[in-house]
């Protein structure tokens, strides 16, 4: 996955080779599609495998929140680096060239360097610095020394039957769809707000172009600081109420934007709210997904992959719908953009947050449970299938929320 991202990402942020001003758009689209497909495959492979490590490493609910929060904190740190580099480059560009507050083709190199540069550096650093780790005895090719209570025969140590919840069994669990809908709504809020915040700042608020770097930077710093509060808050009030608090913060942001169409310097305060709310709901929804997986880590990658698939499809359809409603007939922004992007920011945050609240209410009314109905059970070592467990023993349920 890392190799796919490393190789495809630079091509996405550079003009197609051999293209000129007369090149039709469909030809450029055909050129970029393979690189986008490779990038999305690599991104999914990297993200899903990384998320799947959380249920493998810990079993405690609070430790899952802690690891998810740490993961999000480092994600935010990477985003802060990108926007920090963009802000420095835009600031340097204004000081050493003709001052202009509007985006144009002269700003393309700034985005190429700020997006592709830090990412490639981090990937190369990880690839060169990473090495497999494991127990010291295994790394040196030795088996662990037997202890006093170590059985002489491998089959002598019997363990209770363990239910195998396969990927196809997940599709029969109502909890799977409950968490998927909540995660999809969460990703819609986070991704769409990040996508349209730049248009809102430049086209609706008519702010200088440096704000497209400083405002997201403030959002990510707010989210970074909020992520460290996730473990104690989850431990204090629980998953559902923590997620609800995040939704309330997002709704406050949406209400602020809706009521104040000419927000000025207060946009920094609104950015703090959006960053904190987005971090809260994203970390909590990922923790709920880890809870859904539980000890059935062999199907954990499928769960994270399915969640990612729902959010990708939903975000793609949402962006297509928004762009089809765009009031301007050309690519350039017209007078209708001012109100259009203003209400887009309200809907993608406040409107989707209302839908997420409905999903959360369903989870609170019908708590998320994983039912092991008709699931294969690993037999005891040396036992016959009949001794592995009766039907009643297999029909158990586990509350994860």
């Amino acid at each position: 996955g890392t190799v796919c991202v490393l190789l495809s990402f630079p091509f996405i942020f550079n003009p197609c080779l051999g293209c000129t001003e007369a090149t039709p758009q469909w030809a450029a689209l055909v050129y970029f599609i393979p690189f986008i497909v490779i990038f999305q495959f690599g991104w999914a492979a990297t993200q899903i495998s990384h998320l799947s490590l959380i249920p493998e490493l810990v079993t405690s609910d609070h430790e899952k929140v802690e690891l998810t929060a740490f993961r999000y904190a480092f994600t935010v740190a990477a985003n802060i680096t990108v926007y920090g580099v963009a802000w420095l480059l835009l600031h340097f560009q204004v000081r050493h060239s003709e001052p202009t507050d509007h985006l144009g083709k002269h700003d393309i190199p700034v985005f190429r360097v700020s997006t592709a540069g830090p990412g490639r550096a981090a990937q190369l650093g990880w690839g060169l610095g990473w090495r497999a780790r494991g127990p010291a005895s295994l790394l040196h090719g030795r088996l662990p020394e037997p202890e006093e209570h170590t059985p002489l025969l491998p089959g002598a140590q019997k363990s209770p039957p363990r239910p195998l919840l396969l990927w196809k069994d997940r599709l029969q669990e109502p909890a799977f769809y409950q968490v998927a809908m909540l995660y999809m709504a969460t990703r819609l809020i986070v991704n769409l707000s990040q996508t349209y915040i730049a248009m809102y700042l430049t086209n609706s608020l008519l702010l200088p172009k440096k704000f497209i770097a400083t405002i997201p930077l403030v959002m990510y710093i707010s989210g970074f600081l909020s992520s460290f509060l996730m473990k104690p808050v989850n431990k204090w009030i629980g998953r559902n109420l923590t997620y609800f608090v995040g939704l309330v913060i997002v709704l406050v942001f949406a209400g602020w934007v809706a009521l104040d169409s000419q927000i000025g310097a207060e946009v920094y305060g609104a950015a703090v709210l959006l960053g904190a709310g987005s971090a809260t709901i994203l970390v909590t929804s990922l923790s709920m997904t880890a809870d859904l997986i539980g000890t059935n880590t062999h199907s954990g990658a499928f769960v994270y992959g399915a969640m990612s698939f729902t959010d990708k499809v939903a975000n793609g359809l949402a962006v297509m719908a928004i762009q089809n409603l765009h009031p301007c007939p050309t690519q350039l922004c017209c007078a209708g953009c001012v109100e259009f992007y203003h209400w887009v920011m309200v809907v993608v945050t406040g409107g989707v947050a209302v839908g997420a609240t409905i999903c959360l209410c369903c989870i609170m009314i019908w708590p998320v449970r994983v039912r092991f109905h008709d699931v294969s059970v690993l037999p005891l070592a040396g036992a016959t299938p009949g001794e592995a467990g009766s039907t009643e023993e297999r029909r158990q349920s586990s509350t994860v929320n």
Side-chain angles (χ1 to χ4, degrees):
T2 302
V3 173
C4 291
V5 172
L6 188 65
L7 296 178
S8 62
F9 203 62
F11 290 96
I12 298 176
F13 280 89
N14 281 283
C16 61
L17 300 177
C19 293
T20 62
E21 294 291 337
T23 303
Q25 286 189 347
W26 66 265
L29 178 64
V30 172
Y31 171 86
F32 283 112
I33 283 177
F35 296 111
I36 295 174
V37 171
I38 294 173
F39 170 77
Q40 290 294 340
F41 171 80
W43 174 254
T46 305
Q47 182 190 40
I48 293 170
S49 60
H50 195 259
L51 283 170
S52 300
L53 288 175
I54 295 177
E56 292 276 2
L57 293 174
V58 295
T59 56
S60 170
D61 291 344
H62 300 305
E63 290 177 345
K64 291 176 184 177
V65 176
E66 186 176 21
L67 284 184
T68 305
F70 282 149
R71 180 184 181 275
Y72 182 78
F74 279 94
T75 302
V76 171
N79 291 326
I80 290 174
T81 303
V82 171
Y83 282 101
V85 171
W87 177 78
L88 289 175
L89 292 176
L90 289 173
H91 183 71
F92 180 81
Q93 182 189 59
V94 170
R95 292 183 58 184
H96 293 81
S97 62
E98 295 182 3
T100 174
D101 289 335
H102 301 288
L103 291 174
K105 291 186 177 180
H106 56 279
D107 297 309
I108 293 178
V110 172
F111 292 96
R112 289 177 185 165
V113 174
S114 60
T115 53
R120 288 173 67 87
Q123 288 172 328
L124 288 174
W126 176 86
L128 296 175
W130 180 87
R131 62 178 181 176
R133 299 182 183 274
S137 58
L138 296 180
L139 288 177
H140 291 86
R142 300 194 309 269
L143 293 176
E145 294 293 333
E147 299 178 356
E148 181 180 358
H149 299 288
T150 302
L152 297 177
L153 297 177
Q157 186 177 8
K158 296 185 178 182
S159 58
R162 293 182 290 111
L164 279 178
L165 196 63
L166 304 178
W167 67 269
K168 58 184 178 181
D169 300 316
R170 294 281 185 185
L171 300 177
Q172 302 175 12
E173 295 290 337
F176 177 79
Y177 300 98
Q178 286 179 288
V179 177
M181 293 298 296
L182 190 70
Y183 181 76
M184 181 185 69
T186 302
R187 278 296 184 180
L188 281 172
I189 295 173
V190 175
N191 293 349
L192 293 179
S193 62
Q194 292 176 357
T195 300
Y196 288 101
I197 187 67
M199 290 80 156
Y200 170 68
L201 294 172
T202 56
N203 296 327
S204 294
L205 300 183
L206 304 177
L207 295 173
K209 63 183 180 182
K210 68 177 182 179
F211 278 83
I212 66 174
T214 56
I215 294 301
L217 185 62
V218 171
M219 290 170 51
Y220 284 122
I221 292 175
S222 174
F224 178 79
L225 298 176
S226 301
S227 63
F228 293 104
L229 300 175
M230 291 300 100
K231 182 180 179 180
V233 172
N234 271 267
K235 194 173 183 179
W236 181 36
I237 62 177
R239 295 274 197 276
N240 294 335
L241 288 181
T242 302
Y243 190 91
F244 180 72
V245 170
L247 285 179
V248 170
I249 297 175
V250 173
L251 287 170
V252 171
F253 165 83
W256 192 349
V257 172
L259 296 176
D260 192 354
S261 59
Q262 297 297 326
I263 188 172
E266 295 85 0
V267 70
Y268 285 102
V272 171
L273 291 177
L274 183 58
S278 299
T280 302
I281 61 177
L282 183 57
V283 171
T284 307
S285 63
L286 285 172
S287 301
M288 289 181 176
T289 306
D291 291 340
L292 178 67
I293 295 171
T295 57
N296 299 281
T297 54
H298 48 273
S299 58
F302 170 77
V303 174
Y304 281 116
M307 301 297 165
S308 180
F309 176 76
T310 58
D311 104 71
K312 294 293 189 300
V313 172
N315 278 278
L317 293 176
V319 170
M320 289 178 60
I322 292 172
Q323 294 306 118
N324 286 333
L325 295 174
H326 198 280
C328 302
T330 62
Q331 294 180 353
L332 299 177
C333 191
C334 59
C337 284
V338 177
E339 287 296 320
F340 178 73
Y341 286 116
H342 171 256
W343 289 109
V344 164
M345 281 302 298
V346 174
V347 172
V348 300
T349 54
V352 181
V354 172
T357 305
I358 297 175
C359 296
L360 181 63
C361 290
C362 293
I363 291 178
M364 296 179 71
I365 296 173
W366 298 285
V368 176
R369 296 178 183 272
V370 176
R371 304 169 302 166
F372 303 134
H373 289 277
D374 300 324
V375 178
S376 301
V377 177
L378 289 179
L380 296 175
T384 62
E387 297 171 347
S390 62
T391 305
E392 288 75 12
E393 291 173 339
R394 292 198 299 266
R395 294 183 181 274
Q396 52 181 316
S397 64
S398 174
T399 303
V400 297
N401 191 16

